[in-house]
Amino acid sequence: MDWILFAIFLLATGGAGATGAMFPPGDWYERLDKPTWTPPDWVFPVVWTTLYLALAFVGARLAPLPGSEYAMAFWAMQIAFNALWTPVFFGLQKMRAAFVVMLFLWVAVAGLIWSAWPLDRLSALLMVPYLVWVTVAGALNASVLRRNPSFA
């Protein structure tokens, strides 16, 4: 493992994760009607920290591999949409637009898994929990949107 490469990818995930600190949920989110299956607040930083570490690890493993161009393009795509979702949902309070961002994020993560599989199966498998989490987050986004149509 190239630790400098890992550090670079970790900084990228940290940049995406920083949007959570810049755009916290706040009172607006607390007042929304949310489904009973909404995870408790403490779950989000635990899950995202774990996923960001895995993303940095996967990026550092895939980047030097021959033929990793598509995997790295999907890696870049997913971190861009990952970073975009929080400001759109919490900052702009545009749940419909955030859901569209989430759909693109889901495609990017699925594309990362698909393109990583022939290169490095461990990397592909490490991204499966991310796809599951993005699926849950997308369902939560859609449910909150449906329950609170005035905030579309």
Side-chain angles (χ1 to χ4, degrees), residues 1 3 6-7 9-14 45-61 75 79 126-127 130:
M1 165 79 64
W3 292 104
F6 174 78
F9 281 101
L10 191 60
L11 285 171
T13 62
V46 171
V47 169
W48 279 115
T49 299
T50 304
L51 292 175
Y52 285 147
L53 287 169
L55 274 165
F57 181 77
V58 165
R61 282 180 65 94
W75 197 100
I79 205 66
L126 284 171
M127 292 295 91
Y130 185 25

Side-chain angles (χ1 to χ4, degrees), residues 86-137:
T86 300
V88 173
F89 189 92
F90 293 117
L92 298 175
Q93 300 174 0
K94 299 292 186 185
M95 288 189 269
R96 183 171 285 117
F99 183 71
V100 172
V101 171
M102 187 65 71
L103 292 175
F104 282 109
L105 176 57
W106 193 96
V107 168
V109 176
L112 176 55
I113 293 168
W114 169 79
S115 59
W117 184 258
L119 301 171
D120 181 35
R121 292 206 172 143
L122 176 60
S123 291
L125 291 171
L126 284 171
M127 292 295 91
V128 170
Y130 185 25
L131 188 63
V132 169
W133 182 251
V134 169
T135 302
V136 170

Side-chain angles (χ1 to χ4, degrees), residues 11-27:
L11 285 171
T13 62
T19 62
M22 289 186 257
F23 298 96
D27 293 336

Side-chain angles (χ1 to χ4, degrees), residues 27-40:
D27 293 336
W28 168 80
Y29 181 72
E30 293 303 319
R31 290 191 307 267
L32 293 174
D33 181 20
K34 294 180 279 300
T36 57
W37 51 270
T38 301

